[in-house]
Amino acid sequence: MEGEDWPTDPSLHEMRFDMGYGEEVFNAYLQPDISSFSQGKYENVKTPDHSGWAVKFLNLSPAPVDYYWVEGARKIFMGQLSPFNAKGTASFPNHNFIFTREGDEHDILASFKMTPGESLYFYDPIEGKEENLAKLTNDEWQRYEKQKRSQAFAKTYKEFTGRNYLSLYPRPPPSHKLWMADHFGQTHWVTSKETHFTRHPPQDELKRVTRRKLQDDEPRLLSEYRSGEQIINMTLEVISCAPRVLETQNFLSDVEVDHIIAIAGAKNLHDSTTAGGSGRSSDTKTRTSRNTWVKRNHDPIIDSIYRRAADLLRIDEALLRDRDQNEFPHLESKFGQAEQLQLVHYNVGEQYTAHHDFGYPDVSNKNQPARFATLLLYLNEDLEGGHTEFPRWANGETSKGLFAKPARGKAVLFYSQLPDGNMDDLSHHAALPVKEGEKWLINLWVWDPVYEVRSL
């Protein structure tokens, strides 16, 4: 919470460098070794069976380009990159991609073969060509220069940390707090006044929430239908240090789970998508499920879940909704920093293959907003399969992934950002196929430093 004491991450180390702009200082995250994470149990980290990683494609030209994944003779459209911007995906060694002129898949501008350990792939028709540089407008030059500066920083950062820099430099560290993950099994205790609903309120009391701000000494909404306790105690346990993954049991009560599933029954679920906005979609079928969205102000139970989630994340609940001028007046945006709850349903065989939740904002966006944390809330456990897998977690025991098993009411929290503001490639995760039964869950995405698409 704002004003709350919070330890500085000991894995942040000062990095001094000069890229031709004068000396600069950056506090870079150096991942501790496996001996530290395992408290001396293991000395060597296992190489994961999963060989994929995050790749980022950058179009450093003043014209839009299309990009494709090339599989044999087949070209699979992945999206369009606007001038001086980036897009990304998860890929594997020796996969091939091409950039083409907009609307013409046969006019190939650049080809890329995925090399293990390398995440950044640039199409730059300007470098070394004075005539192309001279054609840029002032605005184009400024955007080009931003990407070139970030490209230079990424090289320095990788030499210092051994990790690819996936953000756009300079990006500040997260404004939100990250729970420490010093070792496996580390626990954190969290309290919240948003206690469990133990009886379902009558339907006429489940109206949209209009009153937002609650003082600490005020009763919670519909408190007569709750447990009667003053607070709820939650224990977060670290199950992975890199990526940072924590879990807590019984985040949701049975009444709350049933309420969410009832909402799903009243809504039309649609085929889930991996991305939007391009007008064309990939046919890779990486995601096979159905979903819908639930706004925070849907009713007091949903609002309470947001408030409890804010306590779990150590974020003021006001940051997860639109605010008036008197709340956090120093913040430029008054919009909430969380998306609507995504309610997802998987049938037998349905899955979401390994992916990342973060994306790459426009080069001109001074805030560089990106997803910061994901909170997964499981709604059932009467199924086989359907685990959430983190296939590349750092550990000394197995090359297999880390598997979070669905359990009714359980919450799993993981971060897409590192303490230094870089995106965490190891946050790679998958929803494994359901083998028997069905799978229900909701997830909450929290952004940093702002969420600029109004959805609450």
Side-chain angles (χ1 to χ4, degrees):
M1 304 286 181
E2 186 167 317
E4 180 183 19
D5 290 336
W6 199 260
T8 300
D9 197 304
S11 297
L12 290 172
H13 296 267
E14 187 177 272
M15 183 177 84
R16 292 184 174 272
F17 55 96
D18 190 333
M19 303 186 300
Y21 304 90
E23 186 179 62
E24 300 179 63
V25 179
F26 182 85
N27 288 323
Y29 176 74
L30 293 180
Q31 182 175 304
D33 59 31
I34 196 62
S35 177
S36 177
F37 289 159
S38 66
Q39 296 183 295
K41 185 176 180 179
Y42 298 104
E43 293 296 328
N44 299 304
V45 67
K46 291 286 187 178
T47 300
D49 289 340
H50 188 95
S51 60
W53 73 98
V55 295
K56 179 181 179 181
F57 299 101
L58 298 100
N59 173 25
L60 302 192
S61 80
V65 299
D66 293 340
Y67 86 105
Y68 294 82
W69 171 31
V70 180
E71 187 180 33
R74 192 165 64 125
K75 296 175 185 170
I76 301 167
F77 178 76
M78 298 293 290
Q80 186 178 92
L81 281 80
S82 58
F84 309 106
N85 275 305
K87 282 192 175 181
T89 186
S91 194
F92 293 88
N94 300 318
H95 276 197
N96 293 289
F97 294 83
I98 58 172
F99 281 6
T100 71
R101 202 170 303 280
E102 181 185 14
D104 186 355
E105 65 178 77
H106 301 292
D107 189 354
I108 299 174
L109 303 172
S111 301
F112 308 99
K113 188 172 187 176
M114 300 301 96
T115 302
E118 183 54 64
S119 289
L120 305 179
Y121 296 88
F122 297 87
Y123 167 56
D124 185 354
I126 296 172
E127 185 175 27
K129 297 181 179 179
E130 292 296 328
E131 67 276 14
N132 289 346
L133 184 64
K135 293 177 183 177
L136 298 181
T137 66
N138 184 60
D139 176 69
E140 289 171 339
W141 181 87
Q142 288 183 9
R143 288 185 286 158
Y144 178 73
E145 177 65 13
K146 279 185 181 180
Q147 291 288 13
K148 295 300 290 184
R149 184 184 180 195
S150 187
Q151 183 181 8
F153 173 79
K155 182 179 179 181
T156 301
Y157 180 89
K158 189 172 184 179
E159 291 172 352
F160 189 81
T161 68
R163 181 185 300 107
N164 287 290
Y165 192 73
L166 296 169
S167 297
L168 178 71
Y169 179 79
R171 190 183 195 280
S175 60
H176 302 314
K177 302 174 178 69
L178 290 84
W179 284 109
M180 299 298 292
D182 301 317
H183 59 83
F184 302 125
Q186 183 179 12
T187 53
H188 304 286
W189 291 272
V190 191
T191 62
S192 174
K193 292 188 176 181
E194 293 299 329
T195 54
H196 283 143
F197 280 84
T198 55
R199 291 188 299 130
H200 199 277
Q203 195 61 39
D204 60 0
E205 295 199 48
L206 293 175
K207 299 176 181 178
R208 289 194 176 275
V209 175
T210 55
R211 186 184 179 206
R212 291 300 186 95
K213 186 67 177 176
L214 292 175
Q215 302 300 324
D216 284 344
D217 58 352
E218 286 188 273
R220 304 297 98 174
L221 299 180
L222 300 181
S223 58
E224 63 270 30
Y225 300 101
R226 303 197 188 208
S227 65
E229 300 171 338
Q230 294 298 309
I231 60 172
I232 180 176
N233 291 291
M234 297 175 283
T235 301
L236 272 171
E237 180 181 358
V238 174
I239 59 175
S240 171
C241 302
R244 294 191 191 199
V245 185
L246 306 95
E247 67 177 18
T248 184
Q249 308 297 324
N250 303 313
F251 179 85
L252 298 174
S253 70
D254 286 339
V255 168
E256 291 161 354
V257 168
D258 292 340
H259 178 69
I260 295 167
I261 293 178
I263 291 174
K267 288 178 171 280
N268 292 320
L269 273 66
H270 304 282
D271 289 343
S272 301
T273 57
T274 57
S278 68
R280 289 181 282 179
S281 61
S282 164
D283 65 355
T284 55
K285 287 294 183 183
T286 59
R287 188 174 193 182
T288 52
S289 61
R290 295 176 67 79
N291 73 342
T292 190
W293 303 87
V294 183
K295 292 184 178 181
R296 173 174 172 169
N297 67 354
H298 185 277
D299 60 54
I301 295 178
I302 299 299
D303 182 72
S304 177
I305 292 170
Y306 268 88
R307 293 174 186 270
R308 192 182 305 147
D311 289 335
L312 191 75
L313 289 158
R314 312 311 292 156
I315 296 175
D316 193 299
E317 64 81 20
L319 294 175
L320 304 189
R321 57 171 169 81
D322 292 354
R323 302 174 301 282
D324 62 35
Q325 296 298 319
N326 297 319
E327 297 177 292
F328 294 89
H330 62 284
L331 294 181
E332 176 183 319
S333 172
K334 297 304 176 185
F335 296 153
Q337 296 174 7
E339 299 183 41
Q340 299 177 32
L341 287 173
Q342 182 185 213
L343 176 54
V344 190
H345 176 259
Y346 294 85
N347 277 316
V348 171
E350 293 183 334
Q351 63 177 321
Y352 193 175
T353 57
H355 62 283
H356 299 84
D357 283 350
F358 58 79
Y360 304 104
D362 191 282
V363 65
S364 300
N365 191 318
K366 65 178 182 179
N367 293 313
Q368 288 298 294
R371 283 174 175 163
F372 162 75
T374 301
L375 186 64
L376 302 174
L377 307 177
Y378 299 94
L379 305 180
N380 70 308
E381 57 192 33
D382 51 340
L383 73 158
E384 289 187 21
H387 293 60
T388 302
E389 181 191 15
F390 297 87
R392 297 165 55 213
W393 68 306
N395 78 101
E397 183 176 356
T398 178
S399 295
K400 303 296 183 184
L402 171 72
F403 302 99
K405 183 179 180 181
R408 184 176 170 94
K410 172 181 171 180
V412 168
L413 166 66
F414 66 91
Y415 298 100
S416 290
Q417 295 184 25
L418 293 168
D420 62 9
N422 191 11
M423 300 299 110
D424 188 358
D425 188 9
L426 295 184
S427 65
H428 214 169
H429 60 286
L432 297 182
V434 175
K435 296 179 180 178
E436 186 176 318
E438 60 181 346
K439 176 184 174 182
W440 289 94
L441 85 157
I442 56 175
N443 63 267
L444 176 66
W445 282 306
V446 177
W447 287 58
D448 185 277
V450 295
Y451 176 47
E452 296 185 347
V453 180
R454 256 190 107 176
S455 63
L456 296 180

